[in-house]
Amino acid sequence: LCHSFVLDPWEPTYQKCSVFTMEELDEIRNFKLKDLPSINVKTLDYLNLYKEAKTTGEVRKILTSKQSWDDKFDRKESHDLDWIRHSYYTLTRELECGGLDGIDKSETWLLAHIWTSIDRVFDDVELDVVRGESASLASSLRKNKDRIPQGEEKLERKKMGRRLDMILRKKNLELGAGEAGKATGDNDTKLLRERDLKLPKALKDMFLCLKNEGGDGKTQDIEVVGLLQYGMELSFIL
């Protein structure tokens, strides 16, 4: 719903309870809407090769086929292509060994066997992918903004930031975060809390820290991203 001034215009309760009209919600959704970046033709062509594969054997033929970018491989130029190959190889091995049989996979198993590809996609940028319930620095900063040196009152203990399954961090700045879990239904309590409350609040803290770092004039250029990795499904908060 609306918490800490984080508003989800796709939440049906706003219209159901007559908080906003459909026209007002459409206006909120489309106000200064930013387009997603496009995929370049070279990357899209390589990705489309896998659409025709029906078996793991056919996928392996594509994986082992020599590509033009293999000659004098340039990490900066061909990182995305190499990442696609690596991701398909990882999933192919899991399929062949039966690792994806059944749906009752734990969060730990999924992070170790499947979602490592998300970590690898950032290999070509100066960014740390912090895993393992790490505490958000931005969240901690907000919680401790009124903390003062010890005087008559005992020094208040410093509050820890929100623990998240993944944080995208560059030095002391946080650019995004993620939460993970095993396969679940759309109305699962853990998913609802992390998708609609915990993650958006953490992203807001990160946004405000970036805003303070860059100044008011840069606000419109700031973007943070949230990733939800539940089971075999990946969704985004932008």
Side-chain angles (χ1 to χ4, degrees):
L1 298 177
C2 183
H3 193 289
S4 301
F5 292 100
V6 178
L7 187 149
D8 179 6
W10 284 270
E11 168 57 51
T13 306
Y14 290 125
Q15 189 177 16
K16 182 179 179 180
C17 297
S18 301
V19 179
F20 296 113
T21 65
M22 181 57 72
E23 290 73 21
E24 289 170 333
L25 289 171
D26 286 338
E27 181 180 355
I28 294 171
R29 293 180 188 124
N30 295 302
F31 181 71
K32 294 186 178 180
L33 182 66
K34 294 184 178 180
D35 294 327
L36 293 174
S38 58
I39 302 176
N40 67 60
V41 175
K42 187 177 181 179
T43 302
L44 191 60
D45 286 344
Y46 181 65
L47 189 60
N48 285 335
L49 292 176
Y50 293 92
K51 291 174 64 176
E52 305 301 324
K54 305 299 181 184
T55 66
T56 56
E58 292 177 358
V59 172
R60 281 191 174 276
K61 287 183 179 180
I62 300 172
L63 289 170
T64 56
S65 62
K66 187 176 180 179
Q67 304 296 323
S68 59
W69 42 271
D70 283 321
D71 293 324
K72 297 181 180 180
F73 179 77
D74 186 313
R75 179 182 177 81
K76 184 177 181 180
E77 180 70 23
S78 303
H79 169 268
D80 292 353
L81 297 163
D82 192 51
W83 174 78
I84 292 171
R85 174 186 278 169
H86 179 271
S87 299
Y88 267 98
Y89 177 67
T90 301
L91 289 175
T92 297
R93 293 185 76 251
E94 289 293 344
L95 282 168
E96 290 174 337
C97 71
L100 299 181
D101 293 345
I103 60 173
D104 192 24
K105 302 295 183 183
S106 70
E107 178 181 323
T108 303
W109 187 94
L110 289 163
L111 289 174
H113 290 255
I114 304 300
W115 296 118
T116 55
S117 60
I118 297 299
D119 302 45
R120 295 297 183 189
V121 78
F122 299 105
D123 284 349
D124 67 329
V125 293
E126 295 181 13
L127 192 70
D128 292 323
V129 181
V130 184
R131 287 281 191 181
E133 291 288 330
S134 180
S136 167
L137 301 177
S139 179
S140 176
L141 187 64
R142 171 181 58 79
K143 291 182 178 182
N144 294 287
K145 65 180 180 179
D146 296 324
R147 190 167 180 254
I148 58 175
Q150 183 172 346
E152 294 183 0
E153 301 292 334
K154 183 179 180 180
L155 180 63
E156 182 182 1
R157 186 176 181 177
K158 186 177 181 181
K159 297 182 178 68
M160 182 177 290
R162 285 186 175 274
R163 289 188 175 277
L164 299 161
D165 290 322
M166 180 181 75
I167 297 176
L168 304 179
R169 187 178 289 157
K170 184 173 183 179
K171 295 184 179 179
N172 291 326
L173 293 177
E174 295 171 337
L175 309 176
E179 285 292 288
K182 63 182 183 179
T184 185
D186 290 338
N187 295 320
D188 178 77
T189 301
K190 182 177 184 294
L191 174 60
L192 290 174
R193 286 176 177 170
E194 293 186 342
R195 181 190 64 195
D196 299 333
L197 185 61
K198 180 181 178 181
L199 189 54
K201 285 187 67 176
L203 293 176
K204 180 189 175 184
D205 291 335
M206 295 175 186
F207 177 89
L208 292 177
C209 281
L210 291 170
K211 174 181 175 294
N212 292 335
E213 185 75 14
D216 292 336
K218 299 292 185 179
T219 303
Q220 296 300 324
D221 297 327
I222 298 175
E223 296 181 44
V224 290
V225 61
L227 302 175
L228 287 162
Q229 305 157 44
Y230 271 75
M232 295 293 293
E233 295 184 6
L234 175 68
S235 56
F236 297 86
I237 297 177
L238 298 173

